[in-house]
């Protein structure tokens, strides 16, 4: 029995599929399966039931998962303590929302590349629900997502918050200065899809208000801002963008009652992932986060 065999087994057992586990370990699926088979031969019993459409853990496999986790974590600690340099190598796949991508992601990548030149970074941009699922499935090493995770196997570390403001084109407001249900009855609400952090802010703000009206959902911040400037409707956008666009006359900020709540963001990772890679990238994220950074809209 070897650590490589245990590693292949553990990630196959806890990722969404053998293919995801193999990609995480930079192996072919056949090489991953070979290591698991060798481990099964060494232990004298099957760890996966392969009779169905998808391999499922046997009772022996389920018992081995926590033991493999502990052994692999201990091995990572030994490697970290014996390393001659604190450098990181290999590949890191991580997820961020579009707001992060448009503000401080370039700074984060620059800082990490300078500190760890041998580490290959692969950022993936999507809404929070999708990113959280990909972290849970083992497809991403971590993600920066709005809010805390409700999943038992995901750890959430607060890293910052973003503030938002209601805004619309001056021409469609007809002198309105406040965000009201009456305004929403007249103008479409331009917003990100369900699953985005700002959608929760909007739903909370609308709770208890009779605000029936059209919703126009778009999955791109640049498109949302463009739609608002063209007078398509009213929307909730990052506060510092709203102030800049108001200064140039493209949009007008609206007062809310109450003002929209700040949106907290968290560094989310699997609780069973004790690799130094994740811990060091969490430190880099905490140092780089800045949702008020200049907008990099295309």
């Amino acid at each position: 029995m070897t650590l490589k065999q245990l590693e292949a087994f553990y990630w196959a057992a806890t990722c969404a599929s053998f293919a995801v586990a193999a990609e995480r370990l930079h192996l072919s699926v056949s090489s991953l399966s070979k290591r698991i088979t060798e481990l099964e031969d060494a232990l004298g019993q099957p760890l996966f039931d392969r009779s169905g459409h998808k391999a499922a853990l046997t009772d022996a496999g389920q018992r081995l998962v926590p033991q493999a986790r502990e052994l692999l974590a201990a091995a990572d600690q030994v490697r970290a303590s014996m390393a001659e340099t604190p450098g990181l190598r290999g590949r890191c796949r991580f997820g961020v929302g579009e707001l992060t991508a448009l503000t401080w992601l370039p700074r984060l990548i620059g800082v990490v590349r300078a500190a760890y030149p041998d580490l290959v970074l692969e950022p993936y941009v999507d809404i929070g629900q999708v990113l959280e699922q990909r972290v849970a499935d083992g497809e991403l090493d971590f993600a920066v997502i709005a809010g805390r995770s409700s999943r038992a196997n995901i750890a959430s570390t607060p890293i910052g918050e973003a503030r938002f403001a209601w805004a619309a084109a001056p021409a469609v407001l007809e002198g309105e200065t406040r965000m009201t249900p009456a305004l929403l009855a007249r103008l479409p609400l331009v917003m990100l899809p369900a699953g985005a952090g700002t959608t929760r802010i909007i739903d909370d703000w609308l709770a208890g208000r009779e605000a029936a009206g059209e919703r126009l959902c778009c999955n791109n911040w640049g498109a949302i801002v463009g739609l608002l400037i063209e007078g398509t409707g009213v929307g909730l956008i990052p506060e510092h963008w709203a102030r800049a666009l108001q200064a140039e006359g493209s949009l007008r900020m609206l007062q809310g009652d109450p003002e929209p709540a700040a949106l907290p963001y968290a560094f989310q990772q699997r609780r069973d992932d004790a690799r130094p890679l994740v811990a060091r990238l969490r430190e880099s994220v905490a140092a780089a986060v800045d949702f008020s950074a200049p907008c990099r809209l295309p």
Side-chain angles (χ1 to χ4, degrees):
M1 179 172 58
T2 68
L3 280 174
K4 289 187 180 296
Q5 293 167 357
L6 284 170
E7 185 179 53
F9 161 76
Y10 180 76
W11 290 110
T14 60
C15 286
S17 66
F18 274 34
V20 171
E23 189 171 12
R24 187 183 187 102
L25 297 174
H26 314 301
L27 297 171
S28 65
V29 174
S30 60
S31 295
L32 181 91
S33 297
K34 182 175 183 292
R35 290 184 183 182
I36 294 172
T37 299
E38 291 171 348
L39 179 60
E40 289 174 323
D41 291 342
L43 296 175
Q45 52 190 317
L47 301 173
F48 288 94
D49 180 353
R50 299 171 175 80
S51 62
H53 177 70
K54 181 180 179 180
L57 285 169
T58 62
D59 289 341
Q62 291 176 353
R63 293 196 305 272
L64 182 58
V65 167
Q67 299 177 70
R69 180 190 303 125
E70 292 178 4
L71 287 169
L72 293 173
D76 281 335
Q77 291 176 359
V78 170
R79 293 190 191 100
S81 67
M82 298 300 293
E84 295 182 1
T85 64
L88 298 176
R89 300 176 183 274
R91 180 174 58 177
C92 177
R93 289 183 168 181
F94 64 98
V96 296
E98 191 186 7
L99 180 55
T100 297
L102 293 173
T103 51
W104 54 274
L105 176 62
R107 177 186 175 190
L108 172 66
I109 290 180
V111 168
V112 173
R113 284 173 58 87
Y116 309 114
D118 294 326
L119 182 65
V120 178
L121 297 176
E122 295 184 5
Y124 179 85
V125 182
D126 212 320
I127 61 174
Q129 278 185 343
V130 174
L131 298 178
E132 184 176 348
Q133 184 63 56
R134 295 194 69 176
V135 171
D137 289 344
E139 297 177 24
L140 297 175
D141 295 305
F142 69 87
V144 177
I145 303 174
R148 297 182 64 85
S149 176
S150 60
R151 298 170 184 258
N153 67 330
I154 298 291
S156 301
T157 304
I159 53 99
E161 64 179 26
R163 302 202 69 90
F164 298 83
W166 297 109
V172 302
L173 288 174
E174 299 177 358
E176 290 280 357
T177 61
R178 303 186 66 82
M179 181 63 174
T180 64
L183 187 62
L184 285 177
R186 183 168 64 83
L187 296 175
L189 178 56
V190 184
M191 57 187 290
L192 291 172
T198 49
T199 303
R200 296 197 294 272
I201 295 179
I202 292 172
D203 289 341
D204 289 345
W205 192 89
L206 292 175
R209 292 179 168 88
E210 295 183 5
E214 180 185 356
R215 291 193 177 195
L216 195 165
C217 292
C218 178
N219 67 347
N220 179 272
W221 271 118
I224 287 175
V225 171
L227 288 168
L228 294 178
I229 290 174
E230 287 298 314
T232 304
V234 61
L236 189 70
I237 65 174
E239 185 178 62
H240 65 295
W241 298 0
R243 292 190 184 281
L245 291 167
Q246 177 172 262
E248 70 178 34
S250 299
L251 292 178
R252 180 180 297 162
M253 295 172 64
L254 296 165
Q255 293 182 337
D257 184 19
E259 294 297 338
L263 184 61
Y265 277 77
F267 182 102
Q268 296 192 8
Q269 67 183 85
R270 283 176 41 155
R271 292 187 185 276
D272 60 359
D273 195 343
R275 291 175 299 161
L277 165 73
V278 177
R280 291 180 188 166
L281 267 292
R282 184 172 61 243
E283 294 171 357
S284 297
V285 166
V289 62
D290 181 8
F291 287 104
S292 65
C295 169
R296 298 173 182 266
L297 289 172

